[in-house]
Amino acid sequence: MAQRWFWSLRPATARESVRAIWANFLLHWFPARMRPASLAWLPTFWLGTVSWVLFVVLLLSGLPLMVFYVPSVEDAYRSVKDIEHVVSFGWWLRAVHRLGAHLMVAAATLHLLRVFVTGAYKNASGLNQHREWNWVIGVAMLFATLLLSFTGYLLPWDQLAYWAVTVGTAIVSSAPLAGAVLRETLIGGREIGEATLVRFYLLHIVALPLAVAVLFGYHMWRVRKDGGLAHGGRDGEGAADVQAIPAVVRRIAVVTMATLLAVTLLAALIPSPLLDPANPDVTPNPAKAPWYFLWLQEVVADTTVRIGPVRVNGALIGGILLPLVLSVVLTLWPWLDPSPGGTAGVAFPRERRVQNAVFLAVFVGITVLTVIGLMRGPSWGLWWPWESWPAAPTRF
């Protein structure tokens, strides 16, 4: 009797496995049979699944937060404070949402790193694949994830949020010719205020989540159309010979439970900060961008120098030109990579050792700059985490 009711979860035959795939909406994007390498833990670390689970966590935790949050300059801070101190388990719910956003940025970045070093955007020889377009979709999802986190950063409307967004949008204004227009379009005016908060709120709860969901759906469909995860060799070498059901269900369940457990425990241990209400007339020292943009702020600070009578515009170099060049090269790299299709899905092959080394060097450099930015204290000085900052005057 149990087998009769749960045949789609524990199919007894290959035929039932195929039927389970076709009959289940959530499993329909998986092939009926998969290569053993696609089900292993180490090649992918299942970072794509982790990113999706975190996105669902953000949706589920964001819905109740929307009930209590008021998107207005007068009431935003008070509503967040009520969530933190009045609503039952509101502090934990807010911590889950905040940490889930940070972890999603990290997981999506590491997923992109894994795809690059394995050359999983390459097409196998002799096959009608278009993996390079799925790489472009992945880059777009990473940017959408960053914007999703950035727009949510302002919503508490405290000093940390207000000045982090102030620093981030100030970098945008450094773009030549259209910088001021871009900043005003982003914040809804010349100053960060009511229009900015409402605009960020709508982007955060409607436009960007919808964009991520649509991109993810196409991303998974594209993976299916291209024959599953990339692997070395021509088609037929290491072909699929394992029933996808129930093997893939078990692994997704394990990854989901592990991710939920990690977020739950971290939310209970790491409280969400809530500083004084936002005050445009009081500038904290230092004023920092969100952590995922700290490396850009560090580059801006390091390249803002005077060489004789010439003052180098660090905001233009570090805030506009450098990220623009990196973004364009990253997006177009599948068409620039000359390595053969046989290296697709192979970690650190000899044919790709130079480009992998350069990519990892850039990634490590960004990580180091981010850590340095986290260590910045008053007047942008460097301070170890265990050192106490001296009493610095607040800039008015």
Side-chain angles (χ1 to χ4, degrees):
M1 180 62 70
Q3 180 62 31
R4 176 184 175 186
W5 288 103
F6 298 101
W7 66 269
S8 62
L9 296 179
R10 297 187 62 84
T13 64
R15 184 180 182 83
E16 286 189 352
S17 178
V18 174
R19 287 179 58 202
I21 291 291
W22 286 100
N24 190 296
F25 175 78
L26 295 178
L27 299 176
H28 192 66
W29 55 45
F30 295 104
R33 301 178 66 82
M34 301 177 68
R35 293 183 299 273
S38 299
L39 297 172
W41 296 105
L42 290 182
T44 66
F45 298 96
W46 289 71
L47 289 167
T49 303
V50 171
S51 300
W52 173 251
V53 172
L54 290 170
F55 179 66
V56 174
V57 167
L58 291 175
L59 291 179
L60 296 179
S61 60
L63 288 174
L65 291 175
M66 288 172 55
V67 174
F68 301 102
Y69 181 75
V70 181
S72 72
V73 171
E74 292 78 13
D75 299 319
Y77 181 82
R78 176 192 54 77
S79 63
V80 173
K81 197 167 185 178
D82 286 345
I83 292 172
E84 192 74 22
H85 300 289
V86 178
V87 177
S88 297
F89 295 101
W91 63 271
W92 176 81
L93 196 62
R94 180 171 172 250
V96 165
H97 195 74
R98 174 178 172 271
L99 289 170
H102 293 331
L103 291 174
M104 184 178 172
V105 171
T109 302
L110 293 175
H111 179 55
L112 197 76
L113 172 65
R114 196 280 306 172
V115 172
F116 188 96
V117 299
T118 58
Y121 52 77
K122 300 289 294 183
N123 298 316
S125 303
L127 297 178
N128 185 25
Q129 296 178 340
H130 301 283
R131 296 186 186 276
E132 66 277 1
W133 291 110
N134 220 10
W135 167 265
V136 174
I137 294 298
V139 173
M141 280 196 291
L142 176 60
F143 291 159
T145 300
L146 291 171
L147 287 175
L148 191 60
S149 182
F150 183 67
T151 52
Y153 215 88
L154 180 65
L155 302 187
W157 202 249
D158 64 347
Q159 279 288 75
L160 176 64
Y162 181 90
W163 287 101
V165 173
T166 299
V167 172
T169 55
I171 293 176
V172 175
S173 66
S174 302
L177 302 179
V181 176
L182 289 174
R183 181 178 182 273
E184 290 182 12
T185 302
L186 181 62
I187 68 175
R190 296 189 175 183
E191 302 294 336
I192 296 177
E194 186 79 29
T196 312
L197 185 62
V198 173
R199 186 163 300 196
F200 274 42
Y201 181 67
L202 292 177
L203 286 172
H204 188 70
I205 69 170
V206 180
L208 291 172
L210 183 61
V212 172
V214 171
L215 289 172
F216 177 80
Y218 180 81
H219 184 69
M220 292 303 300
W221 177 80
R222 190 70 257 172
V223 170
R224 175 79 181 271
K225 291 290 288 184
D226 290 333
L229 299 180
H231 64 102
R234 296 177 61 86
D235 187 38
E237 297 180 13
D241 57 358
V242 175
Q243 291 182 195
I245 304 298
V248 71
V249 175
R250 293 197 193 103
R251 285 158 177 78
I252 291 176
V254 169
V255 173
T256 300
M257 289 187 291
T259 304
L260 293 176
L261 179 61
V263 174
T264 300
L265 292 177
L266 288 174
L269 297 173
I270 304 175
S272 297
L274 186 63
L275 305 184
D276 295 332
N279 188 345
D281 297 324
V282 179
T283 307
N285 186 8
K288 294 185 179 182
W291 67 267
Y292 37 83
F293 291 148
L294 269 180
W295 67 279
L296 289 177
Q297 188 177 4
E298 183 64 29
V299 173
V300 169
D302 294 339
T303 55
T304 302
V305 295
R306 181 174 294 277
I307 304 176
V310 179
R311 183 179 182 275
V312 179
N313 187 347
L316 176 61
I317 296 175
I320 302 298
L321 297 181
L322 179 60
L324 180 62
V325 170
L326 290 178
S327 299
V328 171
V329 172
L330 187 67
T331 304
L332 298 180
W333 191 253
W335 291 274
L336 302 176
D337 183 358
S339 58
T343 62
V346 180
F348 301 103
R350 179 177 301 178
E351 296 87 346
R352 304 184 69 252
R353 62 181 182 273
V354 174
Q355 59 181 284
N356 278 343
V358 173
F359 183 85
L360 289 175
V362 172
F363 180 80
V364 171
I366 291 175
T367 303
V368 170
L369 290 174
T370 301
V371 173
I372 293 175
L374 291 171
M375 296 170 59
R376 291 296 186 180
S379 302
W380 210 244
L382 286 173
W383 301 86
W384 294 109
W386 56 83
E387 290 183 315
S388 299
W389 289 357
T394 302
R395 297 193 296 270
F396 291 89

